[in-house]
Amino acid sequence: MYSSYQDHELVSLLKSDNVAAFNAIYERYSKALYLFIYSKLDTAEISKDVLQDLFVSLWEKRQALVLKESLKSYLYQAARHKIIDIYRKNTTYRKYLQQLIEHFDEQPHSISDQLDTKARTQEMFEAINHLPEKMKEIFMLSRFENLSVEQIASHLNLSQQTVKNQITKALKILRANYAQPDMILIIVSILLGCLA
């Protein structure tokens, strides 16, 4: 129905809560945006999540939407910002891992203990990296940024219960599949000490 409409007409209808106009925008741009996002992230699952977040955000901000350029430019710019966010989070993750490895390099333990601990630490960080994206972000904010549940909920625009649930699930996954129960606490406490 709206496939022949110009972008500015669709945006105008979108601002009036028109779901069909939103669907027309999605149909028009989602495939090309997905390919763009995938070309930067090279991971199908995360690319789909970014695309979904992008369109959820468009719908949530529809009434306050101000386009300085074309709708297409706006969508691609929004996609770039989300991609940069993911790169930033991954860089932060690698920074924590590097600081922890450097910390172990400075400790006067025996070489075999040191290698064993470094290997288990690397394994645990890999396990954290394989958590679902939102769960990983919440877990890292909680355990490595030392943010409270309330601060994380506010920062990510989530309920406090959702944050608590995600932290609990992350710990269960890590304890069950990847690390000795005390290893997570030891590693986190060492890391917090070397970041202080």
Side-chain angles (χ1 to χ4, degrees), residues 71-87:
L71 174 62
K72 181 178 181 181
S73 296
Y74 171 84
L75 291 170
Y76 275 87
Q77 189 61 36
R80 282 186 200 97
H81 286 303
K82 290 186 180 295
I83 290 164
I84 289 167
D85 266 357
I86 288 170
Y87 284 148

Side-chain angles (χ1 to χ4, degrees), residues 12-76:
S12 180
L13 289 166
L14 178 66
K15 287 183 178 185
S16 303
D17 302 335
N18 188 309
V19 175
F22 173 81
N23 290 338
I25 292 169
Y26 183 86
E27 287 298 318
R28 186 171 293 175
Y29 290 110
S30 62
K31 287 180 184 148
L33 280 166
Y34 173 78
L35 292 174
F36 170 73
I37 295 164
Y38 183 75
S39 74
K40 305 298 180 192
L41 298 178
D42 202 30
T43 308
E45 185 178 334
I46 295 173
S47 298
K48 287 175 188 171
D49 288 346
V50 170
L51 184 69
Q52 181 181 348
D53 285 350
L54 180 65
F55 279 97
V56 166
S57 179
L58 177 66
W59 177 256
E60 288 174 346
K61 296 176 181 177
R62 67 192 178 280
Q63 293 173 342
L65 195 61
V66 177
L67 298 182
K68 295 174 183 172
E69 300 176 25
S70 67
L71 174 62
K72 181 178 181 181
S73 296
Y74 171 84
L75 291 170
Y76 275 87

